[in-house]
Amino acid sequence: MSEDSPTPSVRERNERLMRLATYASVGVALALIVTKFVAWVATDSISLLSTLIDSLLDMAASLLNLLAVRHALQPADEEHRFGHGKAESLSGLAQAAFICGSALFLFVEASSRLYHPAAIVNTTVGYVVMVFSILTTLVLVWFQRHVVRRTGSLAISADSTHYQMDILINFSVIVSLALSQNLGWVYADPVFAIGISAYIIYGAYQIGYEALHVLMDRELPDDARARIREIVLGHPGVSDMHDLRTRKSGPDVFIQMHIEMDGKMSLRRAHDISEDVMRRVATAFPNAEVLIHEDPEGIDEERPSFAVN
């Protein structure tokens, strides 16, 4: 059995990016809370209140993310041999719960405003704050998506989903303000807020769904598994492979497999081939820990019924 781990330089760069992303998220959330609170007080818009509530929940979720990422990046220890990466997924589930709670509160407030509509005032303040929010959030989302591409972090991806929704929400608030001011549609404000609450719940479902699958050790996507098979079977010393098993935990990926080789080769040669295969897979998946079991070619093993070749 062989194993490998990502090079320290790659891991350190990824960890630094993840920490920077959590700090940026908290900073942006705090700035948006202050500006949206001022705008809500000035306009009395329920749609603006909806974005303020969403930013408050984003702040709580971002703080939770910061703590979860710090914990997930702790190295493996004697009690947690596979590391602490699943703290990210637990954070994702908590974020989903936070978001659902805010959406339900918003739905109740918007429904009440449907029965008691009120005119929106000082819409210019609302426009300025929404444009500021959109531009600030776009920059944050761009950085978060860069970090997710580099690290595959579920926690950062979930946080980015919040803010991508915020961009659409802020656009909808601008539309509702325009309809209320220019056409006198007093019901536009609460109707848009109800629509926003439904969209927030949908985003929470997506985050919770992904986090739950990671906690349940779902296999890597089919294209990633196909890439692993291509690398392994591309080695001239490997005749076949079976029992490929994969899972993800935070920034780390775990890959296990059996490879078949000529049964007449020496143990040293079989070991060297396994090490080479392991290095090739780890190069393609930098955050992966690769475990390989060597089998002589043609051996008739009794394999689990769920095993995938």
Side-chain angles (χ1 to χ4, degrees), residues 177-251:
L177 290 175
L179 292 175
S180 297
Q181 179 188 32
N182 299 322
L183 299 179
W185 292 5
V186 293
Y187 290 104
D189 187 40
V191 167
F192 270 81
I194 290 174
I196 291 170
S197 67
Y199 186 73
I200 291 174
I201 290 175
Y202 173 70
Y205 166 77
Q206 290 183 309
I207 295 169
Y209 179 83
E210 181 64 25
L212 184 61
H213 273 299
V214 172
L215 289 171
M216 297 296 291
D217 292 332
R218 180 179 58 182
E219 289 282 344
L220 294 181
D222 290 341
D223 58 344
R225 290 171 54 83
R227 176 61 178 151
I228 295 171
R229 286 184 55 83
E230 179 185 359
I231 294 171
V232 174
L233 296 179
H235 195 288
V238 177
S239 58
D240 203 357
M241 67 175 291
H242 57 269
D243 291 357
L244 173 61
R245 301 181 185 184
T246 61
R247 68 183 180 91
K248 186 176 181 183
S249 178

Side-chain angles (χ1 to χ4, degrees), residues 1 12 72 83 112 115 118 124 174 178-179 217 276-277 282 287:
M1 184 173 289
E12 288 172 359
S112 174
Y115 288 100
T124 301
I174 291 176
L179 292 175
D217 292 332
D276 193 27
V277 170
N287 288 338

Side-chain angles (χ1 to χ4, degrees), residues 13-68:
R13 286 197 299 268
N14 289 346
E15 290 179 355
R16 184 167 57 252
L17 278 173
M18 290 171 66
R19 289 192 178 97
L20 283 174
T22 61
Y23 299 149
S25 177
V26 171
V28 168
L30 182 59
L32 294 183
I33 286 171
V34 173
T35 55
K36 289 179 180 180
F37 177 78
V38 172
W40 171 59
V41 171
T43 64
D44 193 32
S45 164
I46 195 68
S47 290
L48 268 171
L49 174 61
S50 73
T51 67
L52 173 60
I53 293 171
D54 188 56
S55 291
L56 286 169
L57 269 294
D58 281 346
M59 180 67 171
S62 294
L63 286 172
L64 181 63
N65 246 10
L66 190 153
L67 297 176

Side-chain angles (χ1 to χ4, degrees), residues 51-99:
T51 67
L52 173 60
I53 293 171
D54 188 56
S55 291
L56 286 169
L57 269 294
D58 281 346
M59 180 67 171
S62 294
L63 286 172
L64 181 63
N65 246 10
L66 190 153
L67 297 176
V69 167
R70 289 185 62 181
H71 187 70
L73 293 179
Q74 293 180 8
D77 53 41
E78 292 185 0
E79 294 183 346
H80 305 89
R81 295 299 180 94
F82 292 98
H84 304 79
K86 287 191 175 180
E88 283 198 59
S89 302
L90 291 172
S91 172
L93 287 178
Q95 288 183 60
F98 271 123
I99 296 170

